[in-house]
Amino acid sequence: MTKYNINLLVSEADEKLKAVGIDAGKAEAEIILCDLLDVERLELYLNGPSLLDDNIVKSYYEIIEKRLTRYPLQYILGSAWFYGRKFLVDENVMVPCPETELLLESVLRTARLSKSSPVRLLDIGTGSGVVSASSKLENPELDVTASDISTEALKVAQSNARQFGVEENIKWIQSDLFDNIDPNSRFDIIASNPPYIADDTYDTLPPEVKADPTLSLLGGNKGMEIIERLLKQAPDFLNRPGTLIFEIGYDQAEIIFDLVDNNSSYSKCMLLKDLANIDRIVICKTA
Ligand SMILES: C[S@@+](CC[C@H](N)C(=O)[O-])C[C@H]1O[C@@H](n2cnc3c(N)ncnc32)[C@H](O)[C@@H]1O
């Protein structure tokens, strides 16, 4: 009979985490135990008790203590889940968000409908590589190029692609947006989750978000500086037809539609909402 009880360990941590403002304390405690025991959540309550030992419980308490400082769980564990896969993350890359899975799904749908062969995708601001690696894994026919201004982020993205066996199948380019992209290159899809938070709202962000690199978060005035450059330059690198797909902040849709309306390179623009019913993904077709 084991001396440890999973329910007790979880509820004890949940209470502590809730006290510092972490609402998903129970889920996080379960994620930590699953990570330490290397089991799926369904197995945790069934097989967990027989796998627990003093060292694992000690590590569990240490992780909870660190998490109580509101340091992101994903950086503590060194990993984050995206589209059913476990990606490595560190402080050089933003922790991938569930909303970005919508960006990936839009990329995959657009690729499926494309008549190009191969379909060429450029992922700008690849970060941990979640969009580029997942795209290649979900659709191995895609010709994927991933870029980021940060060489440190690119190293993380490459490690992730390597663990999934697709590093050599993706082209990697360090670039400030399109600066180092061959001007003769043409892509069918340009995807990006750019930094889109307004500089002057930084102080209002939760501690977990502030732990992300500022390069990943801040988009200048109204969070629009990178998006404006992206909208302006992307048509020079898109095939006709071609599609620019990017993630936006909750209050940016209107201003982006105005910019697209005034840009004759685009024929139409659509919006997708996330699960919280917030405008999240913009899809622009080249004229
Ligand atoms: C919001 S994060 C997105 C990371 C990843 N694609 C994801 O969805 O989790 C934005 C990324 O854009 C990169 N970035 C910021 N400014 C950039 C620029 N001017 N050119 C290219 N990449 C940039 C950052 O380094 C960061 O990795």
Side-chain angles (χ1 to χ4, degrees):
M1 176 87 171
T2 171
K3 58 181 171 169
Y4 295 114
N5 178 317
I6 299 273
N7 276 307
L8 272 181
L9 286 172
V10 168
S11 60
E12 185 190 357
D14 182 29
E15 208 170 296
K16 286 187 188 170
L17 292 166
K18 284 218 167 74
V20 299
I22 298 169
D23 293 336
K26 178 170 185 274
E28 292 206 8
E30 289 174 345
I31 290 170
I32 297 166
L33 284 171
C34 287
D35 195 84
L36 289 170
L37 297 172
D38 196 21
V39 295
E40 302 282 330
R41 194 169 165 275
L42 279 176
E43 293 172 77
L44 178 62
Y45 290 91
L46 200 63
N47 302 330
S50 61
L51 299 171
L52 282 171
D53 61 28
D54 290 353
N55 284 335
I56 288 179
V57 173
K58 184 167 173 274
S59 304
Y60 175 71
Y61 283 127
E62 282 168 1
I63 292 173
I64 297 290
E65 280 309 307
K66 202 155 188 200
R67 182 66 183 112
L68 289 173
T69 67
R70 300 286 302 264
Y71 188 64
L73 180 60
Q74 295 88 343
Y75 289 151
I76 300 172
L77 298 179
S79 61
W81 286 89
F82 185 86
Y83 216 66
R85 296 185 181 88
K86 196 177 183 180
F87 282 76
L88 310 166
V89 291
D90 66 21
E91 288 175 347
N92 293 302
V93 295
M94 192 181 87
V95 171
C97 300
E99 294 81 14
T100 307
E101 296 189 340
L102 201 55
L103 174 72
L104 170 68
E105 283 174 349
S106 307
V107 167
L108 295 172
R109 196 177 321 112
T110 306
R112 269 198 307 276
L113 297 173
S114 172
K115 295 197 165 55
S116 297
S117 181
V119 177
R120 298 194 69 212
L121 165 69
L122 170 63
D123 172 29
I124 290 198
T126 195
S128 58
V130 284
V131 173
S132 47
S134 305
S135 298
K136 187 71 192 170
L137 289 158
E138 294 296 319
N139 181 350
E141 301 298 312
L142 277 181
D143 178 333
V144 182
T145 301
S147 77
D148 204 290
I149 195 168
S150 156
T151 43
E152 296 310 314
L154 277 176
K155 281 184 203 159
V156 176
Q158 284 171 300
S159 300
N160 275 315
R162 194 175 316 131
Q163 67 154 335
F164 297 125
V166 292
E167 184 190 10
E168 304 300 325
N169 309 99
I170 295 175
K171 293 174 206 76
W172 306 96
I173 302 176
Q174 186 281 328
S175 180
D176 178 355
L177 290 191
F178 296 93
D179 287 3
N180 297 338
I181 308 294
D182 177 352
N184 298 313
S185 288
R186 293 294 175 272
F187 299 90
D188 301 292
I189 305 169
I190 295 176
S192 185
N193 175 14
Y196 56 67
I197 291 175
D199 286 3
D200 59 8
T201 61
Y202 183 76
D203 288 342
T204 66
L205 298 173
E208 285 84 355
V209 178
K210 278 188 184 162
D212 285 328
T214 50
L215 197 54
S216 298
L217 298 175
L218 298 183
N221 185 27
K222 295 187 178 159
M224 283 297 300
E225 286 175 16
I226 303 282
I227 291 179
E228 281 182 28
R229 286 172 59 203
L230 190 62
L231 274 168
K232 200 165 166 213
Q233 294 176 39
D236 294 340
F237 294 84
L238 278 168
N239 276 328
R240 304 294 189 268
T243 312
L244 169 66
I245 310 175
F246 59 100
E247 193 172 318
I248 60 169
Y250 72 99
D251 56 353
Q252 291 170 328
E254 206 171 314
I255 178 166
I256 287 166
F257 266 68
D258 281 347
L259 288 171
V260 176
D261 272 351
N262 291 315
N263 187 329
S264 59
S265 301
Y266 297 108
S267 59
K268 63 175 173 176
C269 184
M270 288 160 285
L271 263 181
L272 297 181
K273 289 183 187 294
D274 65 18
L275 291 174
N277 211 29
I278 292 169
D279 294 329
R280 190 57 70 190
I281 305 293
V282 177
I283 304 176
C284 298
K285 300 279 180 189
T286 46

